[in-house]
Amino acid sequence: MTSRRKMDAGLESVQRSLTRLPRRAATREFRDRLRSQFVRDTIPGRVHGVPHTWWSTRLGMTAMAASSAAAILAFAWLLNTGPAWKLTGTSGSGMVQIDGRPTPLEVPAEIARRLHPGAHVRLPADAQLDLKLPGIAVVQLVGGSDATLPGRPGRWFGRSMVASLDAGEIRISTGPAFRGTRLEVVTPEARAIVTGTTLAVLRPADASCVCVLEGRVSMIHDGSTATVYAGFRRSVFRDGRAPRVEPIRPMETMKLTMLRTQAKQALGR
Amino acid sequence: MSGPPAGHWPAFNREELKRAHSGDGEALGRFFDHYFDRIFSVVHRFVGSVDAAQDITQDIFLKVRRHISRLDIEKDPAPWLYTVTVNACRDYRRSAWWRMSRQSVPLDHDPDTPELSSNATNPEQALVVAEEERRLQAAIRRLPPDLRLSVLLHDFEGLSHEHIARITGTSHAAARKRHSRALRALADLLGEGATP
């Protein structure tokens, strides 16, 4: 007999045994009691047996799985939270508007308290705010700027940040921990995508301009992307004129060089 | 005590069902008598203990009593009763009692020792039959619950795979496959038991 036939014979024998299994009956007392309760509709729900735990029900298991997943996500989110922006310096006088609330530039502690990721900041003409994202980047918001601060990048995921600049100038220099982070500066005309460099984004009244001291920056305007290389500035105009690329101006070079030096000290680059 | 032999559930009288449906006590009693033994025996073979089987059967009849007035009296209630029974068995396996019973009752010392068969011609044969039943029941209890339901419904109850698929909410092919796996697992378990 082949092994296949032997196996089939074994299974048939098991099946035969199953069909021959006698039916067991309940005790007479139980049957009579249940019958009487069934007829009178007085069967009590679970009297002494089969206790259910709340998590043993389908709903309970679903709830437990959902809450476990939520707890894991919350924990991962907490662990992933990157460093917060820190105010490292202020200059100038007057009132800085943070989310529409005037705050004196002379009280940096109050400014630091009010600044948060996504805060809307408007600086008076002669002021400057220096910010640091430890290890990742330093940012200067220059006088006359109307900007929204970028958020906090995650440590492992969600590492994109978006800042916006409606007027004025924002200078950025990235640090060693910037790798894998993506910072986007959005102006009304263009978007500058920073992936590790020293640059300034300027927003005069009728244009947006990206000045790159080192590295390179992708600049998106009217749906097309152009790369701005180190030592150059690229301007795009609101009135539809063709974009202009020219060497970076000496004053901007000087300011960005100072920022890079500051970044090296602050971020350990 | 042994009940009726395994097989399909005979249909319950349509007129009686109508009366039970409208709450007639006598008809309800006959409905109970018609299905009680079969439900109890399936549940008993599933859990392997009279006490637990009585508890589950009580739950089943509680559900049946609550919903009998909503039954479609044009249809045979047997498929619905099977579904209620299968669900009660599945609920039971998720209960604390199930976990407790699995931890505390060794299969070798099943309190529900099979009774000696009345069909046996002599005491020796009766002992052999009882021992075979004990081994088979112990092996059934070691099967995963879905496989256990599969062999009990198909081989003990005599239901077709198509019918089982409808009751358990799976496809016909899945029900066949599950039954085939269950039989092989059972054969393996019985083979293990035979090894000294």
Short mmCIF file of all heavy atoms in Angstrom, two decimals, chain A residues 66-127:
data_model
loop_
_atom_site.label_atom_id
_atom_site.label_comp_id
_atom_site.label_asym_id
_atom_site.label_seq_id
_atom_site.Cartn_x
_atom_site.Cartn_y
_atom_site.Cartn_z
N ALA A 66 -7.19 48.89 19.08
CA ALA A 66 -7.16 50.29 18.64
C ALA A 66 -6.42 51.15 19.66
O ALA A 66 -5.59 51.99 19.29
CB ALA A 66 -8.58 50.81 18.45
N SER A 67 -6.69 50.91 20.96
CA SER A 67 -6.03 51.75 21.96
C SER A 67 -4.53 51.43 22.04
O SER A 67 -3.72 52.32 22.25
CB SER A 67 -6.70 51.62 23.33
OG SER A 67 -6.72 50.29 23.71
N SER A 68 -4.17 50.14 21.81
CA SER A 68 -2.74 49.79 21.80
C SER A 68 -2.05 50.49 20.64
O SER A 68 -0.96 51.04 20.81
CB SER A 68 -2.54 48.29 21.65
OG SER A 68 -3.22 47.61 22.64
N ALA A 69 -2.71 50.46 19.47
CA ALA A 69 -2.11 51.10 18.30
C ALA A 69 -1.97 52.60 18.55
O ALA A 69 -0.93 53.20 18.22
CB ALA A 69 -2.98 50.85 17.07
N ALA A 70 -3.00 53.20 19.17
CA ALA A 70 -2.95 54.63 19.46
C ALA A 70 -1.81 54.94 20.43
O ALA A 70 -1.08 55.93 20.27
CB ALA A 70 -4.28 55.10 20.03
N ALA A 71 -1.65 54.06 21.45
CA ALA A 71 -0.59 54.29 22.44
C ALA A 71 0.79 54.19 21.78
O ALA A 71 1.68 54.99 22.04
CB ALA A 71 -0.70 53.27 23.57
N ILE A 72 0.94 53.19 20.87
CA ILE A 72 2.22 53.02 20.19
C ILE A 72 2.51 54.24 19.31
O ILE A 72 3.62 54.78 19.30
CB ILE A 72 2.22 51.72 19.34
CG1 ILE A 72 2.24 50.51 20.27
CG2 ILE A 72 3.41 51.68 18.38
CD1 ILE A 72 1.93 49.20 19.61
N LEU A 73 1.46 54.71 18.60
CA LEU A 73 1.64 55.88 17.74
C LEU A 73 2.00 57.11 18.56
O LEU A 73 2.89 57.89 18.19
CB LEU A 73 0.36 56.15 16.95
CG LEU A 73 0.12 55.24 15.74
CD1 LEU A 73 -1.21 55.55 15.10
CD2 LEU A 73 1.24 55.42 14.72
N ALA A 74 1.30 57.27 19.71
CA ALA A 74 1.58 58.43 20.57
C ALA A 74 3.01 58.38 21.09
O ALA A 74 3.73 59.38 21.11
CB ALA A 74 0.59 58.47 21.73
N PHE A 75 3.45 57.16 21.48
CA PHE A 75 4.80 56.99 22.00
C PHE A 75 5.83 57.29 20.90
O PHE A 75 6.81 58.00 21.13
CB PHE A 75 4.96 55.56 22.52
CG PHE A 75 6.25 55.31 23.23
CD1 PHE A 75 6.56 56.03 24.38
CD2 PHE A 75 7.15 54.37 22.77
CE1 PHE A 75 7.75 55.81 25.05
CE2 PHE A 75 8.34 54.13 23.42
CZ PHE A 75 8.65 54.86 24.57
N ALA A 76 5.56 56.76 19.70
CA ALA A 76 6.48 56.99 18.58
C ALA A 76 6.53 58.49 18.24
O ALA A 76 7.60 59.04 17.97
CB ALA A 76 6.01 56.20 17.36
N TRP A 77 5.35 59.12 18.30
CA TRP A 77 5.29 60.55 18.01
C TRP A 77 6.11 61.34 19.03
O TRP A 77 6.84 62.26 18.69
CB TRP A 77 3.83 61.01 18.02
CG TRP A 77 3.67 62.47 17.72
CD1 TRP A 77 3.70 63.07 16.51
CD2 TRP A 77 3.46 63.52 18.67
NE1 TRP A 77 3.53 64.43 16.64
CE2 TRP A 77 3.38 64.73 17.96
CE3 TRP A 77 3.34 63.55 20.07
CZ2 TRP A 77 3.17 65.95 18.60
CZ3 TRP A 77 3.15 64.76 20.69
CH2 TRP A 77 3.06 65.94 19.96
N LEU A 78 5.99 60.93 20.31
CA LEU A 78 6.74 61.61 21.38
C LEU A 78 8.24 61.44 21.16
O LEU A 78 9.01 62.39 21.26
CB LEU A 78 6.37 61.03 22.74
CG LEU A 78 5.21 61.70 23.47
CD1 LEU A 78 4.92 60.97 24.76
CD2 LEU A 78 5.55 63.16 23.77
N LEU A 79 8.65 60.19 20.86
CA LEU A 79 10.07 59.92 20.66
C LEU A 79 10.60 60.66 19.43
O LEU A 79 11.76 61.07 19.38
CB LEU A 79 10.31 58.42 20.47
CG LEU A 79 10.23 57.55 21.71
CD1 LEU A 79 10.46 56.10 21.33
CD2 LEU A 79 11.28 57.97 22.74
N ASN A 80 9.71 60.81 18.43
CA ASN A 80 10.13 61.41 17.17
C ASN A 80 10.27 62.93 17.25
O ASN A 80 10.92 63.53 16.40
CB ASN A 80 9.12 61.04 16.08
CG ASN A 80 9.55 61.56 14.72
OD1 ASN A 80 10.67 61.28 14.27
ND2 ASN A 80 8.69 62.31 14.08
N THR A 81 9.68 63.52 18.29
CA THR A 81 9.67 64.99 18.36
C THR A 81 11.11 65.53 18.40
O THR A 81 11.91 65.16 19.25
CB THR A 81 8.93 65.46 19.63
OG1 THR A 81 7.65 64.85 19.60
CG2 THR A 81 8.78 66.97 19.65
N GLY A 82 11.42 66.36 17.44
CA GLY A 82 12.77 66.91 17.34
C GLY A 82 12.94 68.13 18.25
O GLY A 82 12.04 68.48 19.01
N PRO A 83 14.12 68.76 18.15
CA PRO A 83 14.37 69.92 19.02
C PRO A 83 13.48 71.11 18.65
O PRO A 83 13.00 71.20 17.52
CB PRO A 83 15.84 70.25 18.75
CG PRO A 83 16.12 69.67 17.41
CD PRO A 83 15.23 68.48 17.26
N ALA A 84 13.28 71.98 19.63
CA ALA A 84 12.43 73.16 19.40
C ALA A 84 13.29 74.34 18.96
O ALA A 84 14.50 74.38 19.22
CB ALA A 84 11.71 73.51 20.68
N TRP A 85 12.67 75.28 18.28
CA TRP A 85 13.37 76.49 17.91
C TRP A 85 13.72 77.27 19.17
O TRP A 85 12.94 77.34 20.11
CB TRP A 85 12.49 77.37 17.02
CG TRP A 85 12.35 76.84 15.63
CD1 TRP A 85 11.33 76.12 15.12
CD2 TRP A 85 13.30 76.99 14.57
NE1 TRP A 85 11.56 75.79 13.82
CE2 TRP A 85 12.78 76.32 13.44
CE3 TRP A 85 14.55 77.60 14.46
CZ2 TRP A 85 13.44 76.25 12.23
CZ3 TRP A 85 15.21 77.55 13.25
CH2 TRP A 85 14.66 76.87 12.14
N LYS A 86 14.96 77.86 19.17
CA LYS A 86 15.37 78.66 20.33
C LYS A 86 15.74 80.05 19.83
O LYS A 86 16.38 80.19 18.79
CB LYS A 86 16.59 78.04 21.02
CG LYS A 86 16.21 76.83 21.83
CD LYS A 86 17.40 76.31 22.59
CE LYS A 86 16.98 75.11 23.44
NZ LYS A 86 18.11 74.29 23.81
N LEU A 87 15.37 81.04 20.61
CA LEU A 87 15.74 82.41 20.27
C LEU A 87 17.15 82.63 20.81
O LEU A 87 17.40 82.47 22.00
CB LEU A 87 14.75 83.38 20.93
CG LEU A 87 14.98 84.85 20.65
CD1 LEU A 87 14.60 85.18 19.20
CD2 LEU A 87 14.13 85.71 21.59
N THR A 88 18.08 82.97 19.93
CA THR A 88 19.47 83.15 20.40
C THR A 88 19.87 84.63 20.45
O THR A 88 20.89 84.97 21.03
CB THR A 88 20.46 82.40 19.49
OG1 THR A 88 20.23 82.80 18.14
CG2 THR A 88 20.27 80.90 19.60
N GLY A 89 19.08 85.50 19.83
CA GLY A 89 19.43 86.91 19.90
C GLY A 89 18.40 87.80 19.24
O GLY A 89 17.64 87.35 18.37
N THR A 90 18.36 89.03 19.72
CA THR A 90 17.48 90.03 19.10
C THR A 90 18.29 91.31 18.95
O THR A 90 19.25 91.54 19.69
CB THR A 90 16.24 90.33 19.97
OG1 THR A 90 16.70 90.85 21.21
CG2 THR A 90 15.37 89.13 20.19
N SER A 91 17.92 92.11 17.98
CA SER A 91 18.54 93.44 17.89
C SER A 91 17.48 94.42 17.40
O SER A 91 16.46 94.00 16.84
CB SER A 91 19.75 93.41 16.95
OG SER A 91 19.33 93.10 15.66
N GLY A 92 17.74 95.68 17.61
CA GLY A 92 16.79 96.71 17.20
C GLY A 92 15.86 97.08 18.34
O GLY A 92 16.01 96.59 19.47
N SER A 93 14.90 97.91 18.03
CA SER A 93 13.97 98.35 19.06
C SER A 93 12.57 98.41 18.46
O SER A 93 12.40 98.32 17.25
CB SER A 93 14.39 99.73 19.59
OG SER A 93 14.39 100.64 18.52
N GLY A 94 11.62 98.55 19.34
CA GLY A 94 10.23 98.60 18.88
C GLY A 94 9.48 97.33 19.24
O GLY A 94 9.88 96.59 20.14
N MET A 95 8.43 97.11 18.52
CA MET A 95 7.56 95.97 18.84
C MET A 95 7.60 94.94 17.73
O MET A 95 7.47 95.30 16.55
CB MET A 95 6.11 96.44 19.00
CG MET A 95 5.88 97.34 20.19
SD MET A 95 5.93 96.35 21.69
CE MET A 95 5.43 97.58 22.88
N VAL A 96 7.79 93.70 18.10
CA VAL A 96 7.65 92.63 17.14
C VAL A 96 6.24 92.05 17.31
O VAL A 96 5.76 91.89 18.44
CB VAL A 96 8.76 91.56 17.32
CG1 VAL A 96 8.81 91.02 18.73
CG2 VAL A 96 8.56 90.41 16.36
N GLN A 97 5.56 91.82 16.18
CA GLN A 97 4.21 91.25 16.26
C GLN A 97 4.34 89.73 16.16
O GLN A 97 4.83 89.22 15.14
CB GLN A 97 3.35 91.76 15.10
CG GLN A 97 3.19 93.25 15.02
CD GLN A 97 1.95 93.73 15.77
OE1 GLN A 97 1.06 92.95 16.06
NE2 GLN A 97 1.90 95.01 16.07
N ILE A 98 3.92 89.05 17.19
CA ILE A 98 3.94 87.58 17.12
C ILE A 98 2.50 87.11 17.19
O ILE A 98 1.81 87.34 18.20
CB ILE A 98 4.78 86.96 18.28
CG1 ILE A 98 6.22 87.49 18.20
CG2 ILE A 98 4.76 85.44 18.22
CD1 ILE A 98 7.10 87.09 19.35
N ASP A 99 2.04 86.49 16.13
CA ASP A 99 0.64 86.09 15.99
C ASP A 99 -0.29 87.28 16.27
O ASP A 99 -1.33 87.13 16.94
CB ASP A 99 0.31 84.91 16.94
CG ASP A 99 1.03 83.65 16.53
OD1 ASP A 99 1.27 83.47 15.32
OD2 ASP A 99 1.38 82.84 17.40
N GLY A 100 0.14 88.47 15.83
CA GLY A 100 -0.69 89.66 15.95
C GLY A 100 -0.57 90.36 17.29
O GLY A 100 -1.18 91.42 17.49
N ARG A 101 0.24 89.79 18.22
CA ARG A 101 0.37 90.43 19.53
C ARG A 101 1.69 91.17 19.60
O ARG A 101 2.77 90.57 19.41
CB ARG A 101 0.29 89.38 20.65
CG ARG A 101 -1.06 88.70 20.67
CD ARG A 101 -1.12 87.66 21.74
NE ARG A 101 -1.08 88.27 23.07
CZ ARG A 101 -1.19 87.56 24.18
NH1 ARG A 101 -1.30 86.25 24.13
NH2 ARG A 101 -1.18 88.15 25.36
N PRO A 102 1.67 92.48 19.89
CA PRO A 102 2.92 93.24 19.96
C PRO A 102 3.75 92.85 21.17
O PRO A 102 3.22 92.71 22.28
CB PRO A 102 2.44 94.70 20.06
CG PRO A 102 1.01 94.65 20.42
CD PRO A 102 0.48 93.29 20.14
N THR A 103 5.02 92.61 20.94
CA THR A 103 5.92 92.21 22.02
C THR A 103 7.19 93.06 21.90
O THR A 103 7.76 93.14 20.81
CB THR A 103 6.29 90.71 21.87
OG1 THR A 103 5.08 89.98 21.67
CG2 THR A 103 7.01 90.17 23.08
N PRO A 104 7.63 93.69 23.01
CA PRO A 104 8.81 94.57 22.90
C PRO A 104 10.08 93.78 22.59
O PRO A 104 10.33 92.74 23.19
CB PRO A 104 8.89 95.24 24.27
CG PRO A 104 8.02 94.45 25.18
CD PRO A 104 7.06 93.69 24.35
N LEU A 105 10.85 94.28 21.65
CA LEU A 105 12.11 93.62 21.28
C LEU A 105 13.11 93.62 22.43
O LEU A 105 14.04 92.81 22.46
CB LEU A 105 12.72 94.33 20.07
CG LEU A 105 12.28 93.81 18.71
CD1 LEU A 105 12.59 94.82 17.62
CD2 LEU A 105 12.95 92.49 18.39
N GLU A 106 12.91 94.53 23.36
CA GLU A 106 13.84 94.65 24.50
C GLU A 106 13.61 93.53 25.53
O GLU A 106 14.39 93.37 26.48
CB GLU A 106 13.68 96.00 25.20
CG GLU A 106 14.11 97.22 24.38
CD GLU A 106 13.08 97.63 23.32
OE1 GLU A 106 11.95 97.10 23.36
OE2 GLU A 106 13.42 98.45 22.45
N VAL A 107 12.55 92.77 25.37
CA VAL A 107 12.28 91.69 26.35
C VAL A 107 12.37 90.33 25.63
O VAL A 107 11.35 89.73 25.27
CB VAL A 107 10.89 91.86 27.03
CG1 VAL A 107 10.73 90.92 28.21
CG2 VAL A 107 10.64 93.30 27.43
N PRO A 108 13.60 89.85 25.40
CA PRO A 108 13.75 88.61 24.62
C PRO A 108 13.03 87.42 25.25
O PRO A 108 12.54 86.54 24.55
CB PRO A 108 15.26 88.38 24.61
CG PRO A 108 15.88 89.65 25.00
CD PRO A 108 14.89 90.42 25.82
N ALA A 109 12.97 87.40 26.59
CA ALA A 109 12.34 86.25 27.26
C ALA A 109 10.87 86.13 26.86
O ALA A 109 10.36 85.01 26.65
CB ALA A 109 12.46 86.40 28.78
N GLU A 110 10.22 87.31 26.73
CA GLU A 110 8.81 87.30 26.35
C GLU A 110 8.66 86.86 24.89
O GLU A 110 7.73 86.10 24.55
CB GLU A 110 8.24 88.72 26.55
CG GLU A 110 6.75 88.85 26.31
CD GLU A 110 5.89 87.98 27.23
OE1 GLU A 110 6.40 87.47 28.26
OE2 GLU A 110 4.71 87.78 26.89
N ILE A 111 9.61 87.31 24.06
CA ILE A 111 9.56 86.90 22.64
C ILE A 111 9.74 85.37 22.55
O ILE A 111 9.00 84.66 21.87
CB ILE A 111 10.66 87.62 21.82
CG1 ILE A 111 10.39 89.12 21.84
CG2 ILE A 111 10.70 87.10 20.39
CD1 ILE A 111 11.49 89.94 21.21
N ALA A 112 10.74 84.88 23.31
CA ALA A 112 11.02 83.43 23.28
C ALA A 112 9.80 82.64 23.74
O ALA A 112 9.50 81.57 23.21
CB ALA A 112 12.21 83.13 24.19
N ARG A 113 9.09 83.18 24.74
CA ARG A 113 7.91 82.49 25.28
C ARG A 113 6.80 82.40 24.23
O ARG A 113 6.10 81.41 24.14
CB ARG A 113 7.42 83.23 26.53
CG ARG A 113 6.53 82.40 27.44
CD ARG A 113 6.10 83.20 28.65
NE ARG A 113 5.26 84.35 28.30
CZ ARG A 113 3.98 84.28 27.99
NH1 ARG A 113 3.38 83.11 27.96
NH2 ARG A 113 3.29 85.36 27.69
N ARG A 114 6.71 83.48 23.43
CA ARG A 114 5.59 83.52 22.47
C ARG A 114 5.89 82.83 21.14
O ARG A 114 4.97 82.49 20.41
CB ARG A 114 5.20 84.98 22.20
CG ARG A 114 4.53 85.58 23.41
CD ARG A 114 3.77 86.82 23.07
NE ARG A 114 3.12 87.33 24.27
CZ ARG A 114 2.66 88.55 24.40
NH1 ARG A 114 2.80 89.40 23.39
NH2 ARG A 114 2.07 88.94 25.49
N LEU A 115 7.17 82.68 20.86
CA LEU A 115 7.50 82.04 19.57
C LEU A 115 7.18 80.55 19.64
O LEU A 115 7.43 79.89 20.64
CB LEU A 115 8.99 82.22 19.26
CG LEU A 115 9.41 83.60 18.76
CD1 LEU A 115 10.93 83.62 18.55
CD2 LEU A 115 8.72 83.97 17.45
N HIS A 116 6.63 80.05 18.59
CA HIS A 116 6.32 78.61 18.54
C HIS A 116 6.36 78.20 17.07
O HIS A 116 6.30 79.05 16.17
CB HIS A 116 4.94 78.36 19.15
CG HIS A 116 3.83 79.07 18.43
ND1 HIS A 116 3.18 78.54 17.36
CD2 HIS A 116 3.30 80.32 18.61
CE1 HIS A 116 2.27 79.40 16.92
NE2 HIS A 116 2.33 80.50 17.65
N PRO A 117 6.45 76.91 16.79
CA PRO A 117 6.45 76.49 15.39
C PRO A 117 5.19 76.99 14.70
O PRO A 117 4.09 76.84 15.22
CB PRO A 117 6.45 74.96 15.47
CG PRO A 117 6.97 74.65 16.82
CD PRO A 117 6.57 75.78 17.71
N GLY A 118 5.36 77.61 13.58
CA GLY A 118 4.20 78.12 12.84
C GLY A 118 3.77 79.51 13.27
O GLY A 118 2.76 80.03 12.79
N ALA A 119 4.55 80.14 14.18
CA ALA A 119 4.17 81.48 14.65
C ALA A 119 4.33 82.50 13.50
O ALA A 119 5.27 82.42 12.69
CB ALA A 119 5.06 81.90 15.82
N HIS A 120 3.39 83.44 13.44
CA HIS A 120 3.45 84.48 12.41
C HIS A 120 4.17 85.70 13.02
O HIS A 120 3.73 86.23 14.03
CB HIS A 120 2.03 84.85 11.97
CG HIS A 120 2.00 85.87 10.90
ND1 HIS A 120 0.97 86.77 10.75
CD2 HIS A 120 2.87 86.16 9.90
CE1 HIS A 120 1.22 87.56 9.73
NE2 HIS A 120 2.37 87.21 9.20
N VAL A 121 5.30 86.08 12.42
CA VAL A 121 6.15 87.13 13.01
C VAL A 121 6.26 88.31 12.03
O VAL A 121 6.54 88.11 10.85
CB VAL A 121 7.57 86.57 13.29
CG1 VAL A 121 8.44 87.63 13.95
CG2 VAL A 121 7.48 85.33 14.18
N ARG A 122 6.06 89.52 12.56
CA ARG A 122 6.29 90.75 11.76
C ARG A 122 7.28 91.61 12.53
O ARG A 122 7.03 91.98 13.68
CB ARG A 122 4.98 91.50 11.55
CG ARG A 122 4.02 90.73 10.68
CD ARG A 122 2.74 91.48 10.49
NE ARG A 122 2.92 92.59 9.56
CZ ARG A 122 1.91 93.33 9.12
NH1 ARG A 122 0.68 93.11 9.54
NH2 ARG A 122 2.12 94.31 8.28
N LEU A 123 8.42 91.90 11.87
CA LEU A 123 9.49 92.65 12.54
C LEU A 123 9.50 94.10 12.08
O LEU A 123 9.27 94.39 10.90
CB LEU A 123 10.84 92.04 12.18
CG LEU A 123 11.27 90.78 12.90
CD1 LEU A 123 12.58 90.28 12.31
CD2 LEU A 123 11.47 91.05 14.39
N PRO A 124 9.81 95.04 13.00
CA PRO A 124 9.99 96.44 12.58
C PRO A 124 11.25 96.55 11.71
O PRO A 124 12.10 95.66 11.70
CB PRO A 124 10.13 97.20 13.89
CG PRO A 124 10.46 96.19 14.92
CD PRO A 124 9.95 94.87 14.44
N ALA A 125 11.38 97.68 11.02
CA ALA A 125 12.41 97.82 9.99
C ALA A 125 13.84 97.60 10.48
O ALA A 125 14.64 96.98 9.79
CB ALA A 125 12.29 99.20 9.35
N ASP A 126 14.17 98.03 11.67
CA ASP A 126 15.58 97.95 12.08
C ASP A 126 15.86 96.77 13.01
O ASP A 126 16.87 96.73 13.69
CB ASP A 126 15.98 99.26 12.77
CG ASP A 126 15.22 99.47 14.07
OD1 ASP A 126 14.13 98.86 14.20
OD2 ASP A 126 15.72 100.17 14.96
N ALA A 127 14.97 95.81 13.03
CA ALA A 127 15.14 94.73 14.00
C ALA A 127 15.70 93.46 13.36
O ALA A 127 15.75 93.34 12.14
CB ALA A 127 13.79 94.42 14.65
#
